[in-house]
């Protein structure tokens, strides 16, 4: 709710996510070095994508529900071209920035399910921390994007919880509080109609993109870090396992670095002030 209030306060048409090739390449340059700065990747091993292109995805499902894709081997990234189409309701949506950062996280090597958290949960966690770090450096669009992302993730996590527990009443209240304009309500109802009868798939999506990352964040708020995130900086640990396999005498000690979420915690703790001071 706190993030929704912040979102309502800062949302405006002048706040647009990247929607042209030029803007995308500007954001790529701005974001990529942060992966090593924030301890996600090794300095010498940050990867620039080979290409980032807007693509119109073919099927109706993809058109509506796939926001971006990263090829982990070729390092080609595509973003849903609706972000770039002035005729689309997604045009200029703040989510294009979060989606870009998420796909860039995959391109850094967050692609395998070798850690406690799988690659989707890990990419989501890295995305919100990275956007927060840009925000704490004064980047307003990154702040707006992380507020929008956290708002959506928290809502989706609550949705997952309501499906699990069957307790719909409280979730209804939250829904009414968050989707407070007629167009938001129309979108929301359409989403519910789309997923009726397909609850299993919905629950899967809510679980790995939203519920698990949110629980991890709430747990990590006390310690300042999250263990078990798949991070490229820990890549050498899988080599240690490999050597242990071919030489049982070899040292098997490899301490994996956690994901430090100091920036996300700062944003969460100061979201009201930051939103209030957004236009100063
Ligand atoms: Zn992903």
């Amino acid at each position: 709710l706190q993030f929704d209030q912040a979102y309502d306060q800062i949302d405006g048409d002048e706040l647009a996510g990247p929607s042209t090739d030029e803007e995308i390449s500007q954001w790529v340059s701005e974001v990529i070095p942060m992966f090593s700065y924030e301890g996600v990747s090794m300095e010498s091993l940050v990867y620039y994508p080979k290409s980032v292109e807007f693509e119109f995805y073919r099927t109706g499902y993809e058109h509506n529900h796939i926001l971006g894709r990263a090829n982990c081997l070729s390092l080609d990234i595509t973003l849903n071209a609706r972000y770039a189409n002035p005729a689309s309701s997604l045009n200029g949506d703040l989510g294009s920035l979060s989606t870009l950062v998420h796909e860039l996280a995959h391109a850094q090597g967050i692609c395998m399910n070798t850690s406690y958290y799988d690659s989707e949960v890990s990419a989501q966690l890295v995305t919100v921390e990275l956007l927060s770090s840009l925000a704490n450096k004064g980047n307003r669009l990154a702040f707006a994007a992380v507020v929008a992302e956290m708002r959506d993730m928290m809502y989706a996590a609550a949705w997952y919880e309501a499906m699990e527990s069957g307790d719909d009443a409280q979730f209804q209240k939250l829904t009414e509080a968050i989707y407070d304009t007629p167009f938001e309500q129309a979108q929301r109802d359409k989403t519910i109609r789309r997923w009726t009868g397909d609850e299993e798939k919905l629950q899967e999506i809510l679980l790995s993109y939203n519920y698990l990352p949110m629980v991890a964040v709430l747990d990590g708020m006390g310690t300042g870090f999250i263990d078990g995130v798949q991070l490229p900086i820990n890549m050498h640990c899988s080599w240690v396992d490999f050597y242990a396999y071919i030489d049982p005498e070899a040292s098997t000690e490899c301490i994996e670095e956690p994901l430090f979420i100091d920036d996300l915690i700062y944003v969460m703790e100061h979201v009201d002030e930051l939103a209030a001071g957004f236009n100063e």
Side-chain angles (χ1 to χ4, degrees):
L1 270 181
Q2 206 182 11
F3 273 90
D4 184 56
Q5 280 157 11
Y7 177 82
D8 288 343
Q9 214 167 350
I10 60 179
D11 192 28
D13 283 345
E14 73 284 4
L15 279 177
S19 62
T20 64
D21 291 338
E22 200 193 352
E23 285 167 355
I24 289 291
S25 89
Q26 291 165 350
W27 276 102
V28 168
S29 309
E30 179 69 4
V31 167
I32 292 281
M34 301 310 281
F35 283 103
S36 63
Y37 193 71
E38 293 299 326
V40 171
S41 303
M42 273 174 271
E43 200 81 54
S44 51
L45 284 178
V46 288
Y47 293 104
Y48 283 80
K50 208 175 103 217
S51 67
V52 183
E53 271 161 22
F54 288 108
E55 182 182 324
F56 283 104
Y57 299 139
R58 293 289 176 95
T59 67
Y61 178 81
E62 294 171 307
H63 186 68
N64 282 289
H65 298 289
I66 303 291
L67 299 172
R69 286 199 171 117
N71 184 319
C72 289
L73 296 175
S74 70
L75 301 188
D76 290 307
I77 289 175
T78 60
L79 299 179
N80 192 319
R82 295 177 79 191
Y83 284 133
N85 180 1
S88 172
S89 55
L90 270 187
N91 184 231
D93 190 274
L94 280 168
S96 70
L97 179 55
S98 324
T99 303
L100 176 64
V101 175
H102 177 106
E103 304 310 335
L104 290 174
H106 283 314
Q108 302 312 304
I110 304 181
C111 283
M112 293 163 298
N113 297 325
T114 49
S115 305
Y116 177 76
Y117 291 114
D118 71 14
S119 58
E120 287 312 333
V121 178
S122 299
Q124 277 301 81
L125 289 168
V126 166
T127 297
V128 285
E129 173 59 16
L130 231 74
L131 286 171
S132 300
S133 84
L134 290 168
N136 289 338
K137 289 249 172 202
N139 192 314
R140 277 150 205 259
L141 198 72
F143 173 72
V146 75
V147 166
E149 192 68 16
M150 290 294 288
R151 166 190 187 260
D152 293 349
M153 283 169 76
M154 283 178 172
Y155 177 74
W159 193 358
Y160 177 84
E161 229 164 26
M163 286 179 86
E164 278 285 282
S165 68
D167 177 11
D168 244 19
Q170 215 181 346
F171 181 63
Q172 269 320 322
K173 253 193 240 159
L174 181 71
T175 301
E176 282 158 28
I178 287 186
Y179 294 92
D180 44 13
T181 72
F183 266 100
E184 283 181 343
Q185 281 153 10
Q187 280 178 30
R188 158 75 203 162
D189 284 359
K190 177 152 181 60
T191 304
I192 291 180
R193 291 198 301 278
R194 164 60 183 84
W195 291 108
T196 304
D198 211 354
E199 281 83 2
E200 225 166 282
K201 169 127 195 183
L202 170 64
Q203 233 175 336
E204 235 168 74
I205 295 173
L206 294 177
L207 179 68
S208 68
Y209 287 83
N210 304 288
Y211 182 76
L212 288 176
M214 274 304 104
V215 171
V217 165
L218 295 179
D219 284 349
M221 284 198 69
T223 55
F225 59 82
I226 301 171
D227 275 319
V229 182
Q230 201 216 317
L231 297 177
I233 202 165
N234 294 322
M235 212 100 85
H236 62 284
C237 285
S238 45
W239 285 104
V240 172
D241 289 344
F242 178 67
Y243 283 123
Y245 174 71
I246 54 174
D247 175 8
E249 307 278 293
S251 159
T252 54
E253 236 177 278
C254 186
I255 297 164
E256 297 210 353
E257 294 285 335
L259 175 68
F260 291 97
I261 54 167
D262 53 311
D263 288 298
L264 179 60
I265 290 173
Y266 187 93
V267 166
M268 290 176 81
E269 286 178 348
H270 298 86
V271 65
D272 296 340
E273 297 121 89
L274 288 165
F278 193 78
N279 293 317
E280 281 169 21

